[in-house]
Amino acid sequence: MKTKKLLRYSLFFLLLFAGESIVLAQDTVEEINAWEQDCAEESTVNPGTEGFVTSLPLDPSYAEECKEQGTVETLTYTCHSYALEAVTGESNIMLEKSVNVYLPYGYDENQEYDILYLLHGTGGFEDYWIGDSSTGKVTCNVLDNMIEAGECEPVIVVSPTYYSPTEEMGYRELDPMELFDNEKDPYADQWPMYFWKELRNDIIPLIESTYSTYAGKDVSETKLQKTRDHRGFAGLSRGSKTTVNSGMMHCADLFAYIGSYSGVWADVEEFKDILESEEYKNCDFKYWYNGNGTEDFSLGNHEEFLNEVLKKMPDRFSLDKNVAWVVFDGGGHAYNCWIADLYNSLLVFFKK
C-alpha cells in the first residue's frame, strides 16, 4: 500500500513539474502541501462544457499504468529542412528525422483508427509527448487509461518534432533551456511557420501508409482530404502556434480537429483570408479546442486571437458549436495543464 501511494504522488508531481521548466517558477516549495491536498481530491468537471476537466490537477490515477497498455514505435524518414531552405534561400537541405507513434492496446491492421498528430513546444522533441521521456511515459498512461475506461475510442497518436536543424547545428546537444534563447535558436519562430510542408509531404504520407487509418494506406491527396474527419492536430506553446499557422492555415483540407494549448501568435486577418479562400472555404472544422491557464504568459495573446476569430467568423467558429475555451485557474505554461488539455480534447475529438 505504501509503495502504491508513493507511486501515485511521484507521478502527480511529475504532472506538475515536467512542463517547460522556464515557466514553472510559480510552483514553489511553499505550495507543496496545497498540491498534495489537490492530489487527494477529485478534479472539478463542468458538465456544461462537454464534461471537460476545468480545474487542476487531472486525476493522478490517469498517470498510472493500466492493464491494457498501448505500444510505442519509432519511424525514421528523410525530408527537407523546409524552414532553413525558406529562410536561407538554400536548396536541398536534407535531414534524417524520427517520429514516435502510439498504437492503442490491441491495435489491429484490419481496423480503421482515428489519428491525432501531437506537437511539443520550445525545447521539446519527438519524445516529449510520446516516448521514453518522463512526460512521454505519462502521456501514454493517460491514453491507455482513457481508452480502457471508454472515454475515447482507440486512437493512434503521432509525436513528431518541428525542429529541422542540420546535425552540425547541434540542437540535440543543447540543454532544452538554451532553445529559449533566440541567439542559440535564431529560427525559433520559423520552425512552426513552415512545418506544414513536412506534415503534408513527409509525415502524414509516412504514417498513414504504414498504419491502419481511415485513409486505408492510400496517401493520395484526394484520399487524405476525404478522410479529414478522422484526423486531428494539437500542440503546446510554439506547437500550439503551429496548429494554427501550419495546421489550420495550410492544412485545413487534411484536419477537422484542432487542439491549441497555450498560445496562438497568428495574424487574425491572414487567418480569415486564408480560411475564406476558394481553397479552404468549405473546410469546416468539427472542433477546435483551446486551453490556457490564468498564470500562463500566453493567455492574453491566445484570448485576444480567439475572441477576434469568434467575432469576425461566426459562421465558421462558435462556442455553441465547435469551439472550446478552457482556462485553468492557477495554471501556468506547463505539462500539468497540457495533459489536461489533451484529455479534454480526446473527450470531443472524432465524435461529431
Side-chain angles (χ1 to χ4, degrees):
M1 181 64 70
K2 184 177 181 181
T3 302
K4 176 83 167 180
K5 184 176 181 181
L6 286 174
L7 174 64
R8 289 174 62 89
Y9 275 88
S10 64
L11 286 170
F12 169 68
F13 283 110
L14 176 58
L15 287 175
L16 288 175
F17 298 116
E20 291 176 342
S21 56
I22 191 171
V23 289
L24 293 182
Q26 76 258 21
D27 297 324
T28 62
V29 174
E30 289 77 10
E31 293 176 300
I32 287 179
N33 289 335
W35 291 128
E36 286 186 343
Q37 184 176 354
D38 286 344
C39 181
E41 299 174 354
E42 293 184 0
S43 298
T44 300
V45 177
N46 180 357
T49 316
E50 305 286 355
F52 291 149
V53 168
T54 56
S55 68
L56 301 175
L58 179 65
D59 185 335
S61 66
Y62 283 97
E64 297 180 12
E65 292 184 355
C66 66
K67 182 187 297 185
E68 299 180 350
Q69 298 180 25
T71 58
V72 175
E73 296 184 356
T74 299
L75 301 183
T76 58
Y77 60 100
T78 302
C79 69
H80 290 263
S81 177
Y82 298 102
L84 288 182
E85 289 180 357
V87 173
T88 66
E90 298 182 31
S91 59
N92 294 320
I93 302 177
M94 306 303 296
L95 309 169
E96 293 290 326
K97 296 188 67 175
S98 296
V99 56
N100 291 339
V101 183
Y102 167 88
L103 300 177
Y105 173 80
Y107 171 79
D108 184 350
E109 277 289 324
N110 296 312
Q111 180 179 339
E112 294 176 320
Y113 293 89
D114 297 311
I115 187 164
L116 176 66
Y117 293 82
L118 189 58
L119 203 56
H120 61 82
T122 304
F125 288 95
E126 65 274 2
D127 63 348
Y128 183 86
W129 277 113
I130 302 292
D132 290 333
S133 68
S134 55
T135 50
K137 291 176 181 177
V138 171
T139 302
C140 289
N141 289 346
V142 172
L143 293 170
D144 290 340
N145 279 292
M146 289 190 72
I147 294 169
E148 186 177 82
E151 292 182 293
C152 68
E153 293 297 317
V155 61
I156 296 172
V157 181
V158 180
S159 180
T161 176
Y162 61 62
Y163 287 118
S164 294
T166 61
E167 187 174 349
E168 293 75 22
M169 294 170 71
Y171 275 47
R172 297 278 179 170
E173 284 71 49
L174 292 174
D175 184 282
M177 294 296 294
E178 294 183 275
L179 291 172
F180 287 86
D181 184 345
N182 286 339
E183 291 187 4
K184 295 288 181 66
D185 182 14
Y187 306 104
D189 290 319
Q190 302 306 315
W191 306 123
M193 306 303 288
Y194 295 96
F195 187 67
W196 64 272
K197 295 186 177 183
E198 190 174 330
L199 268 177
R200 296 191 74 104
N201 298 337
D202 307 290
I203 296 173
I204 294 176
L206 169 68
I207 297 298
E208 300 198 35
S209 63
T210 302
Y211 299 105
S212 184
T213 69
Y214 281 83
K217 299 190 178 180
D218 176 357
V219 292
S220 64
E221 185 173 88
T222 299
K223 185 65 172 181
L224 292 175
Q225 290 170 337
K226 286 182 177 179
T227 56
R228 68 185 291 272
D229 287 358
H230 299 280
R231 191 176 300 109
F233 184 30
L236 66 93
S237 194
R238 277 196 172 98
S240 180
K241 173 179 179 175
T242 309
T243 65
V244 174
N245 288 278
S246 277
M248 301 179 83
M249 294 167 69
H250 290 283
C251 300
D253 56 329
L254 301 183
F255 296 107
Y257 296 89
I258 299 293
S260 302
Y261 314 153
S262 290
V264 172
W265 299 285
D267 182 271
V268 174
E269 293 304 324
E270 183 183 11
F271 178 85
K272 182 174 182 292
D273 289 346
I274 288 175
L275 291 187
E276 292 179 348
S277 67
E278 283 297 316
E279 184 177 11
Y280 291 148
K281 67 180 184 180
N282 294 320
C283 295
D284 287 332
F285 290 95
K286 298 292 184 181
Y287 212 95
W288 181 18
Y289 174 91
N290 292 267
N292 216 295
T294 58
E295 307 306 311
D296 191 325
F297 68 82
S298 70
L299 176 62
N301 157 271
H302 199 158
E303 188 170 37
E304 180 181 0
F305 180 87
L306 184 58
N307 283 339
E308 285 295 302
V309 169
L310 293 173
K311 181 173 68 176
K312 296 182 177 183
M313 304 178 71
D315 294 336
R316 297 287 290 277
F317 300 103
S318 168
L319 290 171
D320 297 327
K321 180 179 66 174
N322 65 342
V323 176
W325 174 237
V326 176
V327 179
F328 299 110
D329 186 27
H333 204 72
Y335 180 78
N336 65 322
C337 289
W338 302 323
I339 192 62
D341 287 325
L342 176 61
Y343 174 87
N344 285 342
S345 296
L346 289 174
L347 292 179
V348 290
F349 280 13
F350 313 121
K351 295 182 180 179
K352 286 185 174 284

